[in-house]
C-alpha cells in the first residue's frame, strides 16, 4: 500500500466521471495518487489522515498569472489596460534581479495560500517597457540581463508551486540574437529546478505589442526549437481594437496556431478569429476578474465551449485582479455570464470548477499531471471545511463548493501529498518574502505616498 491514505472526505474529483463521492485517496512517497475510491479506506497503509468529512477538490490551476505583481495591489485602480501596463512598467524601472526574486516568491506563496497549486506564469520581461499609444507597441525603458528572468524561476521553485515559465522575446527592443539567446538561457535554467515542480517552458506571446509579422515568426521558431507552448495576450481590451484584430493573421500565417497555442483573454475576437481557433485546436484562457477590473469586457466563454474550444481560467495579475482568489474568480465569471445572457443555466457550478482545474490544465498542456484527482497524477488537492465558518446542510456538494465556499473555508493546501499551507500554521517564509519584496520596491523608488502593512 501507499504511504499515506487521506480518508473521511467528501471528494470532488473533477475527473469527468463522478461529480462527488464520500471516500478516500492514497498517495505514495513520490507524491503521486495511487488510489481513490468511495466508502471505507483500505487497510495496510503506513499513515492515515482523517479529514473529518471536509470537501476535497483538486488544487486550482491558474492558466494565466503574472506572479511578480504580488506586491502591487491597487495599482492604477481606475485605469484601462494600456494605462495600467505603463504604470506597472514605471514601477519596475528601478527593480533589480533580486527584487524580482522576492516579488516572485511572495506572489507564488500567495497563490498557494489561496488554493492554486499549479500556475502558468508570465515572467516579468528583462525589458521593462511602457505602452506607446502612437505606435501601439512597447517602448523600452530599461534592459536587464537574463538573470532578471532566471531569478524569477528560482522564486517559483523556492515557493514549492508547480509552474510553467513563459518568457517574452522582446525582439523589437533587442537584437534578434540577443533575444533568442536570452530565451535559451531561461529554458536551460528550468533544468536546474526540481522536475516535479517545473511543468515546462513557454513563449510569452507579444504580437499584440509588436509592429511587424516577424515577431510571430520568431515566436514560432522558439516554439519549434525548444518544444514549448505559446500563450499570447490578444484582443483583451477595446482600446485600439482594429489594430489588435488586424494582427491576428500574423499568428495564423506564422504556423503558431495549434494545440500548443493559447490566446489569453480573447475578449473581442471576430467571428473569423473564433473559426480559426476552432479549426486549429488552439486554446483560450479567460480572466473574468481582471477583465472586469480593467473594464476590458466579457469573453463569450459559453460560445467557445459550445464550439469545442479548450478553455481555462487564470487569476492574472495580483495588481489588476488584486486577489489571487480562484473561488472569487469562478463566481465572478459565472455571475457575469448568467447576467449577460439573462440565463441562469448557461454555465453551471461544475462547469466553472472544471474550467479552473482540469480545463486550465488542458488549455496549457499539463493535464497529464495536474488538474484533477485521478490515479497517476500529482496529489495536489485542497481541504475545504464547510463548517468553519458553518455553511449549514450541504444539499449539493459541487454547488456548495463553488457558490458558497471560499478562502475563509480553506483549511489546507496539499502539494504532492505534503502540506504546503495550513491556516493553523505560521508561514515564516511568506512573512520574509513579503517584507523583502516591500523593502526592495521602496528602495527601487517604485512607490511613494503609501502606508505599508505592518
Amino acid at each position: 500500500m501507499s504511504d499515506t491514505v487521506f480518508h473521511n472526505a467528501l471528494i470532488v474529483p473533477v475527473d469527468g466521471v463522478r461529480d462527488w463521492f464520500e471516500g478516500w485517496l492514497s498517495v505514495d512517497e513520490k507524491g503521486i495518487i495511487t488510489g481513490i475510491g468511495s466508502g471505507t479506506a483500505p487497510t495496510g497503509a503506513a499513515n492515515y489522515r482523517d479529514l473529518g468529512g471536509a470537501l476535497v477538490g483538486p488544487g486550482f490551476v491558474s492558466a494565466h498569472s503574472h506572479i511578480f505583481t504580488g506586491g502591487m495591489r491597487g495599482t492604477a485602480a481606475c485605469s484601462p489596460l494600456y494605462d495600467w501596463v505603463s504604470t506597472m512598467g514605471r514601477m519596475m524601472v528601478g527593480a533589480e534581479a533580486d527584487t524580482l526574486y522576492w516579488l516572485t516568491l511572495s506572489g507564488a506563496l500567495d497563490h498557494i495560500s489561496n488554493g492554486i497549486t499549479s500556475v502558468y506564469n508570465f515572467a516579468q520581461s528583462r525589458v521593462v517597457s511602457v505602452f506607446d499609444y502612437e505606435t501601439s507597441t512597447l517602448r523600452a525603458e530599461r534592459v536587464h540581463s537574463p538573470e532578471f528572468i532566471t531569478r524569477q524561476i528560482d522564486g517559483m521553485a523556492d515557493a514549492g508551486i508547480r509552474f510553467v515559465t513563459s518568457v517574452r522575446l522582446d525582439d523589437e527592443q533587442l537584437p534578434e540574437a540577443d533575444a533568442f539567446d536570452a530565451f535559451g538561457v531561461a529554458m536551460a535554467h528550468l533544468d536546474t529546478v526540481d522536475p516535479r515542480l517545473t511543468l515546462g517552458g513557454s513563449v510569452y506571446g507579444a504580437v499584440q505589442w509588436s509592429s511587424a509579422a516577424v515577431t510571430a515568426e520568431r515566436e514560432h521558431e522558439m516554439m519549434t526549437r525548444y518544444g514549448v507552448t505559446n500563450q499570447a495576450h490578444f484582443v483583451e481590451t477595446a482600446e485600439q481594437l482594429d489594430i489588435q484584430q488586424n494582427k491576428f493573421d500574423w499568428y495564423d500565417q506564422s504556423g503558431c496556431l495549434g494545440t500548443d497555442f493559447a490566446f489569453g483573454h480573447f475578449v473581442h475576437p471576430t467571428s473569423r478569429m473564433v473559426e480559426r481557433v476552432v479549426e486549429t485546436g488552439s486554446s483560450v484562457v479567460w480572466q473574468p476578474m481582471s477583465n472586469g477590473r480593467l473594464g476590458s469586457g466579457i469573453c463569450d466563454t459559453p460560445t467557445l465551449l459550445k464550439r469545442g474550444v479548450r478553455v481555462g481560467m487564470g487569476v492574472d495579475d495580483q495588481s489588476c485582479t488584486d486577489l489571487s482568489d480562484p473561488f472569487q474568480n469562478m463566481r465572478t465569471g459565472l455571475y457575469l455570464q448568467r447576467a449577460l445572457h439573462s440565463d441562469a443555466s448557461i454555465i453551471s457550478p461544475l462547469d466553472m470548477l472544471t474550467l479552473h482545474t482540469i480545463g486550465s490544465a488542458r488549455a496549457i498542456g499539463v493535464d497529464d499531471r495536474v488538474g484533477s484527482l485521478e490515479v497517476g497524477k500529482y496529489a495536489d488537492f485542497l481541504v475545504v471545511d464547510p463548517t468553519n465558518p458553518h455553511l449549514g446542510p450541504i444539499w449539493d456538494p459541487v454547488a456548495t463548493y463553488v457558490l458558497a465556499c471560499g478562502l475563509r473555508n480553506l483549511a489546507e493546501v496539499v502539494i504532492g501529498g505534503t502540506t504546503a499551507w495550513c491556516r493553523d500554521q505560521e508561514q515564516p517564509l511568506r512573512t520574509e518574502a513579503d517584507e523583502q519584496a516591500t523593502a526592495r520596491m521602496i528602495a527601487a523608488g517604485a512607490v511613494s505616498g503609501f502606508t505599508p502593512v505592518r
Side-chain angles (χ1 to χ4, degrees), residues 230-297:
N230 187 341
Q231 185 177 161
H233 295 67
F234 217 75
V235 289
E236 175 180 354
T237 176
E239 297 180 86
Q240 301 193 350
L241 184 56
D242 289 347
I243 296 174
Q244 294 183 65
Q245 290 175 338
N246 288 337
K247 295 178 180 180
F248 178 83
D249 285 343
W250 297 356
Y251 268 134
D252 200 0
Q253 294 166 7
S254 70
C256 281
L257 301 190
T259 56
D260 290 332
F261 189 91
F263 285 107
H265 299 287
F266 216 54
V267 177
H268 302 282
T270 65
S271 58
R272 179 179 170 276
M273 292 163 64
V274 173
E275 285 297 327
R276 290 298 294 147
V277 165
V278 172
E279 290 168 0
T280 60
S282 302
S283 300
V284 171
V285 184
W286 176 33
Q287 286 64 244
M289 284 176 65
S290 72
N291 292 160
R293 207 277 218 173
L294 294 169
S296 297

Side-chain angles (χ1 to χ4, degrees), residues 8-303:
N8 189 19
L10 204 164
I11 297 176
V12 182
V14 201
D15 60 358
V17 179
R18 292 178 287 184
D19 291 354
W20 63 273
F21 58 90
E22 295 179 77
W24 56 273
L25 61 85
S26 57
V27 182
D28 69 12
E29 68 281 355
K30 296 179 180 179
I32 303 295
I33 297 173
T34 56
I36 185 168
S38 58
T40 304
T43 60
N47 302 292
Y48 285 85
R49 282 218 34 212
D50 187 334
L51 298 182
L55 288 157
V56 170
F60 285 104
V61 179
S62 177
H64 186 116
S65 284
H66 300 252
I67 290 284
F68 76 94
T69 63
M72 289 170 259
R73 290 177 175 83
T75 299
C78 296
S79 295
L81 176 66
Y82 293 145
D83 283 346
W84 169 82
V85 165
S86 293
T87 299
M88 290 288 296
R90 287 188 289 270
M91 291 177 73
M92 283 284 100
V93 168
E96 305 297 340
D98 200 45
T99 308
L100 267 295
Y101 168 80
W102 288 106
L103 285 171
T104 302
L105 179 61
S106 173
L109 291 171
D110 182 67
H111 270 50
I112 291 173
S113 71
N114 288 334
I116 298 169
T117 55
S118 296
V119 61
Y120 181 105
N121 179 45
F122 293 94
Q124 164 60 42
S125 173
R126 56 186 287 243
V127 178
V128 178
S129 306
V130 298
F131 184 74
D132 187 323
Y133 275 91
E134 290 188 6
T135 63
S136 195
T137 61
L138 294 178
R139 184 179 71 247
E141 296 289 309
R142 186 181 178 191
V143 178
H144 291 270
S145 72
E147 185 185 16
F148 208 65
I149 303 294
T150 59
R151 288 297 285 152
Q152 293 176 68
I153 293 172
D154 294 339
M156 297 292 291
D158 289 350
I161 197 169
R162 302 195 204 281
F163 61 98
V164 175
T165 295
S166 185
V167 179
R168 199 168 72 200
L169 278 180
D170 294 304
D171 63 302
E172 293 194 338
Q173 293 82 21
L174 298 169
E176 180 178 326
D178 187 7
F180 283 11
D181 289 347
F183 189 89
V185 168
M187 295 300 104
H189 195 72
L190 292 174
D191 292 335
T192 69
V193 175
D194 185 338
R196 294 170 296 181
L197 295 179
T198 179
L199 296 173
S202 190
V203 176
Y204 181 157
V207 161
Q208 177 175 340
W209 319 101
S210 299
S211 62
V214 69
T215 294
E217 296 167 7
R218 290 166 176 160
E219 290 182 9
H220 185 254
E221 182 174 343
M222 293 298 97
M223 292 172 68
T224 302
R225 182 183 301 183
Y226 293 99
V228 296
T229 62
N230 187 341
Q231 185 177 161
H233 295 67
F234 217 75
V235 289
E236 175 180 354
T237 176
E239 297 180 86
Q240 301 193 350
L241 184 56
D242 289 347
I243 296 174
Q244 294 183 65
Q245 290 175 338
N246 288 337
K247 295 178 180 180
F248 178 83
D249 285 343
W250 297 356
Y251 268 134
D252 200 0
Q253 294 166 7
S254 70
C256 281
L257 301 190
T259 56
D260 290 332
F261 189 91
F263 285 107
H265 299 287
F266 216 54
V267 177
H268 302 282
T270 65
S271 58
R272 179 179 170 276
M273 292 163 64
V274 173
E275 285 297 327
R276 290 298 294 147
V277 165
V278 172
E279 290 168 0
T280 60
S282 302
S283 300
V284 171
V285 184
W286 176 33
Q287 286 64 244
M289 284 176 65
S290 72
N291 292 160
R293 207 277 218 173
L294 294 169
S296 297
I298 303 173
C299 177
D300 189 3
T301 303
T303 294

